[in-house]
Amino acid sequence: MPLELSEVSDPIAADQEYLWTLNFGPQHPATHTTLRLVLTLDGEKVVGAVPHIGYLHSGFEKLGEHLDFNQYVTIVDRMNYISPIANELSWHHTVEKLLGIEITPRCKYVRTIFGELMRLHDHLLNVGAVALDLGAFTAFLYAFQQREKIYDISEYASGQRFHSSYTRVGGVLFDVNNDWVEKVRKFVREFKPVHAELHRLLTRNRIFIDRTKGIGVLTPEDANNMSVTGPLARASGIVRDLRKDEPYLAYKDFDFKIVCARGGDCYSRYVVRMQEMLESIKIIEQAIENIPAGPINIDAVTDITLPAKPAVYRSIEGLIQHFEVLMPNRGFPVPLDEVYGATESPNGELGFYIVGDGTVRSYRARTRPPSYIHFAIFPHLIRGHSLSDVVAVLGSLNIIAAELDR
Amino acid sequence: MVEANTTVADLRTQFGNELTESSFRDNHRVHVPPEKALDVLTWLKEQRGFDMLVDITAVDYLEYPDATDRFHVIYLLLNMTTKERLIVKVPVNLPDAALPSVVPLWKGADWMEREVYDMFGIDFIGHPDLRRILMPEEFTTFPLRKDYPLKGFGERHNFPVLTRAES
């Protein structure tokens, strides 16, 4: 049971000699990635936590100022590597907003399907990893088996399982075909029984509930005040989903619900993620049967998208077009202005703030990383709980250190 | 998006005409002089219900065409009730690049301001714990400034090396 916050945050008690310090991380199985917590403990009770981050900082935003809009997608991939294409969607959504491009209906549908597959990808890992940290190994394996199938789908479309670098300005790398559609259909069919099984393993599991219910409670007021978005905010009862509030891609066309819970604890976050998976499946089912025909990339004459490879090899126009886009002194016209664009990534609002200076490189490419903002609330959530709850809370926040540090 | 325009109009009657506005695509921006930044942000939070601070970031305009100020600190605000967004841009210049902290208004600003300080060297006066967050403590420069080269100044060679015995 959580203790009264006033009792442990007393400044005089914090100076007492009986408090001891525990270094949690940077290498610890339950942090999953590289981050460090310095915990102050009173017996087993956590009275303070100071996160230390930056172990994986690799200057992504600086690199974004030196790579062009298509090249930077490979870096964006490596931010939240649990759901790589969700990052690409957000990056190119913002770039296209800056350039004022409207992508084709077919591309919107394909990107939407990938966006939802990535949501499943991320939530599966999170549900599995939370269960694993709390001692339930089976659920983790069930979840990972399904993630393998999503890897296959993304390999089939882009050629790479993990860091697919699939989207391009004004379109995607390769068009999808009927085999891919069939693969997604098969995945959707096979996913539902596995999801039901995960439910049976965890949702009413006594041990799992004891470890997660009432742990790390985040009130709606605090969630707003601390900039929390995504499943974390929805688990605290905030009805906010960019797919509904600021519809992008093809989300306007589909029938789905925003999943919310009132608890605000680790268990509510688990339930929200589980239910969101079903909503994602619903979206994929609707989208996959209605992919519009027509081109996937916007017209090549606009100097923005690369022409198809057969056109490059077999016609002089295609070859000229190819060089027009790729040569450093050509490229497409970029406005001298700046724009913020955001999408609902599996982890929350993933936004980019891009400043265009007329060249094909962004002058500034700021990422609003949900993991970074969510990790900042960790000391607030853990105060007053016991040491063993650290892994439960950490797991439920879904911190991806590559996105945390960039 | 009519909402945003009335907000900016009200802001100008409240705080004077130095506040200018601009917009691009669906982004609405209001440019606020640094000495009025905290008052404007407080007013926006308390009178206009911008209860969520989506992000704080900064841009170094050193090499930007026709730029007049060195940095802009950018506050992305969101009203959770009306879902209205507003961007507040505050110019900041060297040598004493500093702004009042907004942590008392939004607790979420804590790490965002620390990152801006870490990357650009802009001070936030009144911040409870302004330390470097992503870069190591030994770092002396600010890597996202435009006069900092992509490959760095060679700081890595000057970092203290811990031997096994010392650790």
Side-chain angles (χ1 to χ4, degrees):
Chain A
M1 281 299 290
L3 293 150
E4 281 300 311
L5 291 186
S6 55
E7 182 194 326
V8 290
S9 58
D10 181 19
I12 301 160
D15 288 333
Q16 299 293 317
E17 276 180 6
Y18 53 81
L19 297 180
W20 58 292
T21 309
L22 180 74
N23 197 22
F24 191 92
Q27 294 289 341
H28 186 282
T31 63
H32 293 288
T33 37
T34 323
L35 47 91
R36 178 171 158 229
L37 294 163
V38 177
L39 302 168
T40 313
L41 299 165
D42 171 6
E44 269 201 55
K45 193 171 70 187
V46 181
V47 295
V50 181
H52 289 270
I53 65 168
Y55 292 92
L56 287 182
H57 178 64
S58 24
F60 284 0
E61 286 175 19
K62 190 83 179 170
L63 282 169
E65 297 167 5
H66 291 82
L67 297 174
D68 74 29
F69 293 134
N70 276 333
Q71 288 169 333
Y72 189 53
V73 79
T74 57
I75 306 289
V76 167
D77 251 352
R78 283 151 178 81
M79 285 181 184
N80 186 344
Y81 53 85
I82 302 303
S83 50
I85 299 183
N87 304 327
E88 299 169 16
L89 294 180
S90 185
W91 167 247
H92 275 143
H93 169 74
T94 315
V95 170
E96 281 151 11
K97 199 165 160 185
L98 177 73
L99 301 178
I101 301 172
E102 179 72 21
I103 54 173
T104 63
R106 184 178 174 82
C107 185
K108 280 184 184 168
Y109 269 64
V110 171
R111 283 191 185 184
T112 308
I113 294 168
F114 266 115
E116 292 312 306
L117 282 172
M118 289 303 128
R119 197 175 312 281
L120 292 170
H121 220 355
D122 203 280
H123 287 358
L124 276 171
L125 178 106
N126 183 255
V127 166
V130 167
L132 176 71
D133 289 347
L134 301 180
F137 198 73
T138 320
F140 177 74
L141 292 178
Y142 283 13
F144 250 73
Q145 191 199 12
Q146 293 306 304
R147 296 193 73 229
E148 280 299 320
K149 291 180 181 164
I150 302 176
Y151 280 142
D152 288 347
I153 291 170
S154 107
E155 183 188 18
Y156 204 85
S158 70
Q160 295 212 42
R161 283 157 52 80
F162 215 77
H163 299 300
S164 8
S165 309
Y166 184 55
T167 60
R168 292 289 181 273
V169 181
V172 293
L173 180 55
F174 302 117
D175 198 355
V176 297
N177 59 16
N178 286 336
D179 290 350
W180 180 83
V181 171
E182 198 43 56
K183 257 181 146 46
V184 177
R185 280 197 193 119
K186 183 159 171 282
F187 167 76
V188 170
R189 264 199 315 276
E190 290 172 355
F191 179 79
K192 285 180 187 166
V194 179
H195 184 272
E197 213 152 5
L198 275 174
H199 242 305
R200 282 203 296 278
L201 276 170
L202 294 173
T203 310
R204 297 184 63 194
N205 182 325
R206 179 64 191 275
I207 303 169
F208 186 74
I209 292 175
D210 280 353
R211 290 292 305 274
T212 52
K213 212 155 200 172
I215 304 296
V217 178
L218 181 68
T219 60
E221 296 76 33
D222 277 345
N224 271 349
N225 206 286
M226 295 178 151
S227 314
V228 174
T229 53
L232 266 66
R234 291 194 282 275
S236 295
I238 293 172
V239 189
R240 169 82 175 154
D241 193 321
L242 291 178
R243 293 176 293 174
K244 288 272 191 200
D245 293 341
E246 295 169 11
Y248 55 97
L249 293 178
Y251 285 112
K252 271 200 295 293
D253 304 355
F254 308 125
D255 169 37
F256 66 100
K257 293 192 180 80
I258 304 177
V259 184
C260 288
R262 284 185 189 280
D265 53 2
C266 295
Y267 185 73
S268 304
R269 287 172 213 140
Y270 157 79
V271 171
V272 164
R273 290 203 169 96
M274 281 299 266
Q275 289 305 115
E276 267 188 17
M277 283 196 239
L278 290 180
E279 296 300 318
S280 293
I281 283 288
K282 247 165 76 184
I283 297 174
I284 297 172
E285 274 175 333
Q286 294 167 52
I288 199 78
E289 302 307 332
N290 296 305
I291 300 180
I296 191 138
N297 289 343
I298 59 163
D299 208 352
V301 291
T302 49
D303 271 9
I304 284 169
T305 47
L306 285 170
K309 277 286 173 278
V312 179
Y313 296 142
R314 292 184 194 144
S315 71
I316 186 69
E317 292 81 10
L319 192 65
I320 292 172
Q321 179 66 36
H322 182 82
F323 279 115
E324 283 284 343
V325 175
L326 284 186
M327 271 168 31
N329 55 348
R330 300 300 182 97
F332 34 82
V334 177
L336 263 171
D337 216 320
E338 43 199 83
V339 78
Y340 176 76
T343 61
E344 185 73 26
S345 87
N347 234 352
E349 176 174 335
L350 175 65
F352 285 93
Y353 192 89
I354 305 182
V355 181
D357 63 349
T359 66
V360 291
R361 285 171 189 80
S362 45
Y363 183 79
R364 169 96 170 94
R366 158 72 180 169
T367 321
R368 183 213 183 263
S371 284
Y372 183 81
I373 284 147
H374 293 166
F375 195 41
I377 69 170
F378 179 79
H380 172 75
L381 292 185
I382 194 62
R383 202 169 297 139
H385 291 295
S386 81
L387 177 58
S388 59
D389 295 331
V390 170
V391 288
V393 174
L394 204 55
S396 76
L397 295 181
N398 194 19
I399 305 299
I400 313 295
E403 186 185 55
L404 177 71
D405 294 344
R406 290 152 289 134
Chain B
M1 283 299 150
V2 182
E3 194 80 21
N5 298 332
T6 62
T7 305
V8 175
D10 289 352
L11 262 176
R12 292 177 71 164
T13 49
Q14 193 82 16
F15 293 97
N17 279 334
E18 308 109 282
L19 273 64
T20 51
E21 64 173 310
S22 63
S23 64
F24 181 68
R25 311 290 180 222
D26 63 355
N27 286 188
H28 290 278
R29 294 178 295 227
V30 51
H31 302 255
V32 178
E35 60 277 6
K36 289 192 175 168
L38 188 63
D39 292 342
V40 167
L41 289 165
T42 313
W43 187 84
L44 282 171
K45 190 194 171 199
E46 273 153 21
Q47 306 296 321
R48 278 294 178 275
F50 284 95
D51 48 356
M52 190 195 265
L53 176 71
V54 176
D55 200 5
I56 301 177
T57 185
V59 180
D60 181 357
Y61 287 103
L62 183 66
E63 296 156 3
Y64 201 73
D66 305 328
T68 48
D69 297 294
R70 176 70 195 268
F71 301 106
H72 275 188
V73 174
I74 295 155
Y75 298 85
L76 306 173
L77 306 182
L78 171 69
N79 182 331
M80 287 297 283
T81 320
T82 60
K83 315 290 183 198
E84 176 196 348
R85 282 182 191 274
L86 184 70
I87 299 177
V88 176
K89 290 189 75 175
V90 183
V92 179
N93 281 298
L94 290 177
D96 39 27
L99 277 178
S101 168
V102 295
V103 176
L105 296 176
W106 296 281
K107 278 187 250 171
D110 185 348
W111 280 27
M112 299 170 187
E113 288 183 349
R114 276 179 72 184
E115 191 181 350
V116 172
Y117 165 73
D118 192 0
M119 294 294 160
F120 292 92
I122 297 169
D123 274 323
F124 289 93
I125 297 155
H127 188 284
D129 184 22
L130 198 65
R131 287 180 289 129
R132 287 192 176 269
I133 186 160
L134 293 174
M135 305 306 290
E137 290 291 332
E138 294 84 12
F139 217 74
T140 51
T141 44
F142 303 105
L144 274 183
R145 284 188 181 177
K146 283 287 172 179
D147 50 11
Y148 188 86
L150 182 62
K151 290 183 179 173
F153 288 129
E155 290 91 343
R156 277 180 66 175
H157 309 291
N158 299 325
F159 282 166
V161 179
L162 276 182
T163 61
R164 203 151 195 40
E166 291 164 343
S167 62

